[in-house]
Amino acid sequence: MLIYDDLGKRIATSTSGLKLKIEKTDIEIDSRGFADFVVKTFKFKDHPVSDITALSDAIAKLDFVEECSSTGGYLNIKVKAEKLYSIIDDAISGVGMYPETFQDPERVVVEHTSANPTGPIHVGRIRNSIIGDSVARIFARYGYRVSTHYFVNDSGKQVMALYEGFVRYCKGCELTVENLLHGYQEIYRHMEELGGETAVIGPLLKRYELPDVKLLEEIKGACSVVLKNIKETLGQLHVNIEDYIWESGFLQSEELVEVFERLGTHIKEEKKAKFLEMPWGKKEYLVRSDGTKLYLVRDLAYHLFKTEHFDVIVDVLGEDHRDYAKTLGYVLPDLMELDKRFEFLIYSFISLEGSKLSTRQGNIITVEELIKKGLEEASRIVSEKGNDYDEKTREKIAKEVAVASIRFNVVRVNPQKAIVFRWGEALNTEGDSAPFIMYSYARSSSILEKGEPSEKRKSSYGKEEKALLWNMYLFPDFIEKSMNSKRPDLIASYALALTKTFNDFYSSCQVNVAEDDIRGTRRRIVEMYRTIIKDAAGMLGINMLERM
RNA sequence: GGGUCUGUGGCCUAGUUUGGAUAAGGCACCGUCCUUCUAAGUCGGUGAUCGGGGGUUCAAAUCCCCCCAGGCCCGCCA
């Protein structure tokens, strides 16, 4: 959990002795520029005006309240800038961050990406990784003990097609991603002439479940090659997944046995096939008529495994898995009686304008390609700026800018909303973008680097200083909201809004040329901003640069 | 066909959970500001009956109903 001086809560508490008591939820953060906090008093119709006045007076008396005025059914509360300053200053002086994180004993696992290792990761898939990685970072920032998982599918028809395609169309070739992908696309192109999926993959499935250890190893080997490529790509985007859990590991596992035990009498049978019946009428199959097991079983075993180590299990899934998530959300707690928190973060797809993304059909834009173009674009911009940075510095700037831009342009959109991939937007570096944030950070670094420090502090604050302090004060609120709703885009909007208020401050408040007390205060405000914006960007996997 | 999610200026996005004070940003376009700490920036301007229609309410982008358009799902695939 987060620890900070919650002024809204203090206002609510202070009204406990009044006729009109308000809750923290009655105190809203103003978004229209009337005040800092706002209370909608028109909601309290059954209270006489005198109660509202008493409420207003009580709030106005609080030591951190600058002003509390009642107008047109609203209570507009303005907080003292010096209070905001000291709240943030104290936290950063004490623990180096605002707000402070109190380690929660609950263990959280975020499973994300989990793309079939049948080819390089493409732009349609990357949203999963970016959202998943950001959510994991936000949970960790909030105070949970977080781990990340990638569930590697090396047991299904797709990977068998990958293996078989390589054997048939690339016999004797070197085991590379390109050759594997070629074989994979070829086998799907010729599937009809070969007699269909059952004829081609069926025999492999049987051998797989025996299990034929040699086959298992060979398939896993093929998957490893592709997975290595995926890992490298993810790493470039600062997505580092802690554990890769192999699906084949559950084939003969204790967990798999326990899944069947726990499901017990819930399992129905029809023509030797085993299935579960959902309350909404759907049948979910566990075992085929020929005795081979379906993905659901292995995934249930994997989830059982997760409950042995974690308290909160978060799955990041594409919208095509919405119904599947509903199934898991029912089977795990209700049929298997697992008493843990299962949460599903469903996101909509990134589509290509006019065409559909498909690894099988070869219609993809790979993330490698996206990063490459992003790097070229960023390098071009860095050169154009005409700074006197050396080659190494330029490369570093271009790399971080490219990665940050790509991540930001994906993460800033509400996961629920679909994204159409457009090059111009994917690599956007102006306006509402990562470089806009990074640039203001670089400027703040420059301010601190150039001027003289001062221990003196001033006692009054200007409009822009106050606005910046207020927005910084609100940081914990946004961390909480984005954690609770599993929406990293809220952190992205926050970072943009905070940067805008910093830019206002920057353009109207001179720091280094000011008198000692003003300079001392302003430099400290700049330090606070740097700490907070870097923290926020960090939750989105964006690394700040001291200069750019 | 059934289910589900989405629809906000020319384009992209926030606001919808918990209905209220001028619908907020960005891109593009027009104009402003580098002899003040980095112009990837700043300031100003043009531009929205919030998909359409009904309803509830003193009050609707927000809640309810119907319709339209688009995404996704409806496998003994994963």
Side-chain angles (χ1 to χ4, degrees), chain A residues 254-420:
Chain A
E254 286 170 27
E255 282 87 359
L256 195 115
V257 175
E258 193 182 333
V259 166
F260 283 100
E261 281 171 10
R262 281 181 174 267
L263 289 172
T265 55
H266 295 297
I267 301 175
K268 309 248 164 61
E269 210 172 307
E270 192 179 73
K271 291 181 202 159
K272 291 207 168 173
K274 295 191 167 83
F275 64 91
L276 299 170
E277 207 141 17
M278 298 297 109
W280 49 94
K282 196 167 180 271
K283 285 178 183 172
E284 293 288 358
Y285 283 84
L286 302 164
V287 182
R288 298 186 184 90
S289 293
D290 66 3
T292 56
K293 295 173 199 74
L294 286 130
Y295 174 76
L296 178 60
V297 180
R298 299 187 292 271
D299 199 26
L300 288 174
Y302 167 50
H303 277 78
L304 180 63
F305 164 77
K306 288 200 268 193
T307 63
E308 289 161 10
H309 304 275
F310 301 97
D311 307 297
V312 184
I313 290 109
V314 180
D315 291 359
V316 180
L317 300 166
E319 61 177 335
D320 53 338
H321 284 65
R322 206 182 287 272
D323 289 347
Y324 182 74
K326 194 179 169 192
T327 298
L328 287 184
Y330 169 70
V331 175
L332 291 164
D334 296 335
L335 300 187
M336 289 173 63
E337 293 174 13
L338 293 166
D339 187 23
K340 299 281 181 173
R341 266 169 64 199
F342 298 100
E343 299 193 12
F344 304 93
L345 199 181
I346 311 286
Y347 66 91
S348 292
F349 288 132
I350 297 180
S351 60
L352 243 39
E353 245 175 329
S355 65
K356 208 174 163 171
L357 291 156
S358 166
T359 307
R360 284 183 208 177
Q361 290 160 20
N363 185 28
I364 55 170
I365 294 171
T366 64
V367 175
E368 287 168 317
E369 196 181 340
L370 177 64
I371 295 173
K372 189 165 164 275
K373 285 216 181 157
L375 264 173
E376 284 167 9
E377 180 72 7
S379 302
R380 189 182 59 73
I381 296 170
V382 174
S383 306
E384 269 179 16
K385 299 294 171 195
N387 295 307
D388 52 359
Y389 302 144
D390 58 50
E391 194 60 28
K392 212 177 163 189
T393 309
R394 282 189 186 183
E395 265 175 38
K396 162 116 175 112
I397 293 171
K399 185 174 164 285
E400 293 299 344
V401 165
V403 167
S405 301
I406 292 168
R407 284 191 67 132
F408 193 83
N409 289 315
V410 170
V411 85
R412 73 190 183 93
V413 181
N414 186 333
Q416 209 158 37
K417 304 213 181 183
I419 296 178
V420 175

Side-chain angles (χ1 to χ4, degrees), chain A residues 12 47 397 456:
Chain A
H47 282 271
I397 293 171
K456 291 189 178 161

Side-chain angles (χ1 to χ4, degrees), chain A residues 498-548:
Chain A
L498 183 62
T499 297
K500 282 183 181 112
T501 55
F502 176 77
N503 287 346
D504 282 346
F505 165 86
Y506 180 88
S507 58
S508 51
C509 300
Q510 282 291 302
V511 178
N512 289 325
V513 297
E515 297 297 313
D516 284 0
D517 57 339
I518 298 176
R519 191 175 78 247
T521 302
R522 288 184 176 167
R523 284 180 65 92
R524 186 60 180 152
I525 290 176
V526 171
E527 282 170 6
M528 293 173 187
Y529 168 72
R530 280 164 50 78
T531 306
I532 292 169
I533 198 69
K534 188 175 187 176
D535 195 350
M539 280 185 255
L540 306 177
I542 293 170
N543 294 344
M544 291 304 202
L545 295 162
E546 297 307 314
R547 58 191 48 160
M548 60 185 281

Side-chain angles (χ1 to χ4, degrees), chain A residues 28 52 66 76 80 94 120 140 143 167 180 182 184 191 213 216 237 276 310 331 334 340 371 396 412 414 436 460 477:
Chain A
E28 296 176 32
I52 310 271
E66 174 92 43
N76 290 324
K80 285 180 183 162
V167 170
L180 281 164
H182 171 73
Y184 184 64
M191 198 59 94
V213 180
L216 241 82
L237 289 176
L276 299 170
F310 301 97
V331 175
D334 296 335
K340 299 281 181 173
I371 295 173
K396 162 116 175 112
R412 73 190 183 93
N414 186 333
F436 174 75
S460 67
D477 197 66

Side-chain angles (χ1 to χ4, degrees), chain A residues 10 39 82 98 102-103 117 124 157 198 336 425 499 540:
Chain A
R10 280 169 64 171
V39 178
E82 62 197 79
Y98 168 81
F102 180 77
Q103 180 80 69
K157 287 184 179 178
T198 320
M336 289 173 63
E425 279 171 29
T499 297
L540 306 177

Side-chain angles (χ1 to χ4, degrees), chain A residues 453-500:
Chain A
S454 163
E455 289 311 309
K456 291 189 178 161
R457 296 290 182 267
K458 61 171 182 162
S459 54
S460 67
Y461 298 82
K463 186 161 70 74
E464 291 81 8
E465 293 165 327
K466 165 72 190 289
L468 180 54
L469 287 166
W470 173 246
N471 272 283
M472 293 196 290
Y473 162 77
L474 292 177
F475 188 38
D477 197 66
F478 280 85
I479 301 174
E480 274 171 3
K481 272 187 204 146
S482 78
M483 192 279 300
N484 284 322
S485 56
K486 296 190 288 293
R487 282 187 48 191
D489 59 302
L490 298 181
I491 296 292
S493 331
Y494 173 75
L496 282 175
L498 183 62
T499 297
K500 282 183 181 112

